[in-house]
């Protein structure tokens, strides 16, 4: 049986494949700043996408996206603000979630755009 980390890595690989197929340019993966980690930073149509990938093998406890909590959102804000300042970028920022469910050798990906808003 795969470990939690193996499932997460597999989900992130599938997320990258999906994003590339949707014409996103991948800027960073697993980017860290202090306690913040952003799974994927990508750009498309002159917009930076801060993407959280959540992968589960079942939905017994809810869909993967419900596991993005307020603490994670605050850390993503901290991280992406630093990233934008560090690279002197002037783009709109969008926060997305890629919800991935692995069941019966099937990979189901739901791209939740504008999952939460940056104020």
């Amino acid at each position: 049986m795969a470990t939690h980390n193996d499932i997460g890595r597999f989900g992130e690989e599938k997320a990258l494949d999906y994003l590339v197929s949707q014409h996103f340019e991948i800027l960073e993966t697993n980017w860290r700043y202090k306690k913040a980690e952003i799974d994927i930073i990508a750009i498309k149509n002159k917009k930076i996408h801060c993407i959280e990938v959540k992968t589960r093998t079942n939905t017994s406890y809810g869909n993967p996206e419900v596991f993005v909590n307020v603490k994670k959102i605050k850390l993503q804000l901290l991280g992406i603000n630093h990233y934008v300042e560090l690279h002197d970028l002037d783009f709109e920022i969008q926060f997305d979630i890629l919800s991935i469910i692995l069941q019966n050798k099937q990979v189901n990906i739901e791209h939740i755009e504008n999952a939460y808003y940056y104020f």
Side-chain angles (χ1 to χ4, degrees):
M1 178 172 221
T3 67
H4 171 76
N5 289 337
D6 292 338
I7 292 166
R9 273 192 293 278
F10 182 78
E12 287 184 13
E13 289 172 16
K14 293 301 177 186
L16 288 169
D17 293 343
Y18 167 81
L19 291 168
V20 168
S21 78
Q22 298 299 307
H23 310 289
F24 282 81
E25 177 187 347
I26 307 302
L27 300 176
E28 303 282 347
T29 58
N30 300 320
W31 192 81
R32 292 180 177 273
Y33 172 68
K34 295 187 179 183
K35 292 184 177 185
E37 180 184 355
I38 299 173
D39 292 334
I40 301 170
I41 301 173
I43 192 165
K44 183 177 179 182
N45 299 329
K46 298 182 181 180
K47 187 183 294 186
I48 296 206
H49 294 258
C50 177
I51 303 167
E52 176 68 12
V53 179
K54 286 294 183 192
T55 307
R56 297 290 185 267
T57 55
N58 64 63
T59 57
S60 298
Y61 297 104
N63 287 332
E65 65 271 15
V66 302
F67 295 94
V68 179
N69 60 30
V70 172
K71 180 180 178 182
K72 180 64 177 180
I73 293 168
K74 288 180 180 179
L75 287 171
Q76 284 190 323
L77 287 169
L78 173 73
I80 201 66
N81 280 332
H82 181 73
Y83 184 85
V84 167
E85 288 175 13
L86 181 68
H87 296 283
D88 195 28
L89 300 173
D90 187 23
F91 293 97
E92 183 180 342
I93 299 169
Q94 179 174 309
F95 294 89
D96 299 348
I97 298 173
L98 284 181
S99 175
I100 302 175
I101 301 170
L102 309 173
Q103 281 184 320
N104 303 323
K105 299 186 181 184
Q106 298 272 0
V107 178
N108 298 306
I109 299 175
E110 180 181 2
H111 185 176
I112 303 166
E113 297 189 58
N114 287 313
Y116 35 96
Y117 295 98
Y118 174 66
F119 296 98

